[in-house]
Amino acid sequence: MIALVMFVVALLLLLVGIPVAFAFGGVAMIFAFIIPDLGFEVFNILPFRIYGIMNNTTLMAVPLFIMMGLILEKSGMAEKLLISMAAMFKGVRGGLGVSVVLVGAILAASTGIVSASVVMMSVIALPLMIKAGYDKSLASGTIAASGTLGQIIPPSIILIVLGDVMSVSVGDLFVGAVLPGLTLVSLYITYILIRAYFRPNDAPALVSEEEVTIFDLFKAIVPPLLLMVSVLGSIFAGIASPTESAAFGVVGGLLLSSLNKTINTEMIQYALFGTMKLTGMIFMILIGATAFSLVFNELGGSDLILEFFSEDIGDVWVFIAVAMLSIFILGFFIDFIEISFIIVPILVPVMSAFGIDPIWFAVLIAMNLQASFLTPPFGLSLFFLKGAAGNSVSTMEIYKGIIPFIVLQLLALGLVIIFPDLVFAFL
């Protein structure tokens, strides 16, 4: 029971604003110090764990994909895409919203960086949607939800992290996440079109004097699609590992920036420093989580949870329901990285004991974690959107707009649970 107390203390520290790495690492040190049977000797293995993290070739893909995303953020690609697709959908009720979802999906498959996608579309698409007469809650909900597609559509950072934590192939995870990601995109588009049909004033047709030719659309869409196909196709075909493909993606991002004439010293500096900061944050959390897991496991926390689910409950569907509900609720308060490094390792032994397929379970977790970007009060996409939008939309309008999309995410999660072939279709 001391292990559970330790876990609750760590969560309370997170809720009062203590940085994640220090909350979990600090709690581990405090409990190791105050419990006589442990002592700091429990951390003797920690340097070897950290060295293993440093040598992990799978995790090397994280900074590379982050850098690719940051380069593409500054390339001007998103603006060209959105303007071209919006013009192609003019005259169609809800067409602008549909174009935002499609651009969000393309950005997700090209960059995988949620913050970059949400901010870019908030700056570019939100003023356009408001000017076109869109309901502000629908506009903000569409942008926030579309920006988070990078959580489930490969190359997703969270899929790379889950692949490492759960010891499964990242390439298989990427393949398994394709259909669930496309299912979510289809649900978003269907909702926007249905709402536009029954409530035309919420999503009026775009009236634009700007003419966009097929050639303009071709120039806007083909370069990011080529990069996406090159990066993901090499992984799916088994030609390259995710890390090798990520390195190729960085080179591809630089080439796209060169074609758009946006590459300069300032942009390279922005991408390098941004990559360093985001990667440093992720790996600091991983080190704190590793220290926490050493003490937690030494106190018998993992054994207690395994015994509870496999012996006291003994039903695989109850375990899945409790695991998904716990992750969803925790997503209201803590970030996907913390959940991946702290909660998921606790669930993995139980998953193995029940014989659950790790690829399917990892995709379920990734879809569930996507909701953590949208759920108030700490949904990061909501902060990104509000920060970029300023006073053009209120916080309540954002919260109101995001609710239908959270319901759609839960519906997509339910579909993947009921129809596992959505994950295994291409495996």
Side-chain angles (χ1 to χ4, degrees):
M1 295 305 294
I2 296 175
L4 296 182
V5 172
M6 176 184 170
F7 184 75
V8 171
V9 170
L11 289 182
L12 290 175
L13 289 177
L14 286 179
L15 292 178
V16 298
I18 304 296
V20 181
F22 301 113
F24 282 101
V27 166
M29 294 182 69
I30 291 168
F31 274 75
F33 178 74
I34 63 176
I35 297 174
D37 293 341
L38 287 182
F40 288 124
E41 291 80 10
V42 73
F43 297 121
N44 286 345
I45 197 175
L46 185 60
F48 299 100
R49 292 280 185 93
I50 295 172
Y51 186 73
I53 293 168
M54 293 166 61
N55 282 280
N56 191 315
T57 55
T58 300
L59 290 178
M60 281 174 62
V62 172
L64 291 169
F65 276 126
I66 290 174
M67 187 173 182
M68 182 182 81
L70 293 174
I71 290 170
L72 292 176
E73 178 191 348
K74 293 293 184 181
S75 69
M77 177 189 74
E79 186 172 359
K80 288 183 179 180
L81 259 178
L82 189 61
I83 291 172
S84 299
M85 294 197 75
M88 291 296 291
F89 276 103
K90 72 176 183 179
V92 180
R93 281 200 306 239
L96 182 55
V98 171
S99 69
V100 168
V101 174
L102 292 175
V103 170
I106 293 172
L107 289 177
S110 305
T111 69
I113 309 295
V114 170
S115 58
S117 298
V118 174
V119 170
M120 277 191 287
M121 290 200 291
S122 300
V123 172
I124 301 165
L126 189 60
L128 194 60
M129 296 178 85
I130 293 174
K131 184 180 177 182
Y134 269 63
D135 178 77
K136 288 185 177 181
S137 63
L138 175 61
S140 54
T142 301
I143 289 170
S146 301
T148 61
L149 288 170
Q151 284 293 95
I152 186 64
I153 294 178
S156 162
I157 301 299
I158 188 58
L159 290 175
I160 297 171
V161 171
L162 287 174
D164 178 67
V165 171
M166 300 177 70
S167 300
V168 295
S169 165
V170 173
D172 287 346
L173 279 182
F174 280 4
V175 175
V178 169
L179 272 184
L182 294 177
T183 300
L184 196 54
V185 171
S186 301
L187 289 174
Y188 287 172
I189 291 174
T190 303
Y191 165 71
I192 292 168
L193 292 176
I194 290 173
R195 181 162 172 174
Y197 179 80
F198 288 104
R199 300 175 66 176
N201 292 333
D202 284 359
L206 180 65
V207 179
S208 173
E209 297 179 358
E210 183 179 354
E211 290 294 332
V212 174
T213 65
I214 295 295
F215 181 69
D216 293 328
L217 190 63
F218 182 84
K219 284 198 303 183
I221 292 179
V222 168
L225 281 181
L226 279 177
L227 180 62
M228 177 184 75
V229 170
S230 300
V231 172
L232 296 181
S234 61
I235 297 172
F236 295 168
I239 298 170
S241 69
T243 305
E244 293 164 342
S245 295
F248 179 79
V250 173
V251 176
L254 290 170
L255 288 174
L256 282 183
S257 296
S258 299
L259 290 174
N260 287 335
K261 298 180 181 178
T262 54
I263 189 168
N264 52 47
T265 306
E266 184 183 349
M267 188 268 277
I268 297 293
Q269 220 171 30
Y270 168 81
L272 289 173
F273 280 105
T275 301
M276 183 178 66
K277 286 191 290 186
L278 285 171
T279 306
M281 177 196 74
I282 291 172
F283 281 84
M284 276 298 294
I285 292 171
L286 181 50
I287 292 169
T290 302
F292 181 88
S293 66
L294 284 173
V295 178
F296 185 80
N297 291 334
E298 195 68 24
L299 291 171
S302 296
D303 295 335
L304 182 67
I305 291 170
L306 178 60
E307 181 183 343
F308 174 73
F309 279 109
S310 60
E311 296 180 15
D312 296 345
I313 292 180
D315 186 88
V316 62
W317 292 110
V318 173
F319 163 68
I320 291 171
V322 171
M324 293 300 111
L325 181 62
S326 301
I327 290 172
F328 180 72
I329 292 173
L330 287 171
F332 279 76
F333 308 105
I334 59 178
D335 189 47
F336 74 99
I337 293 291
E338 297 95 271
I339 294 175
S340 300
F341 288 141
I342 303 297
I343 309 300
V344 174
I346 295 173
L347 300 176
V348 168
V350 188
M351 175 200 75
S352 300
F354 279 119
I356 298 171
D357 187 279
I359 301 291
W360 178 68
F361 196 63
V363 172
L364 291 183
I365 292 173
M367 296 193 73
N368 203 334
L369 288 176
Q370 186 174 347
S372 70
F373 272 85
L374 301 177
T375 47
F378 301 120
L380 290 179
S381 288
L382 310 184
F383 291 127
F384 297 144
L385 174 59
K386 180 59 179 170
N391 295 323
S392 57
V393 291
S394 68
T395 302
M396 286 309 299
E397 284 172 330
I398 294 173
Y399 284 175
K400 180 183 174 184
I402 208 61
I403 291 172
F405 291 95
I406 294 174
V407 173
L408 290 174
Q409 286 190 339
L410 294 177
L411 174 60
L413 179 64
L415 289 174
V416 177
I417 291 174
I418 297 170
F419 304 107
D421 283 345
L422 286 170
V423 174
F424 300 123
F426 298 136
L427 288 172

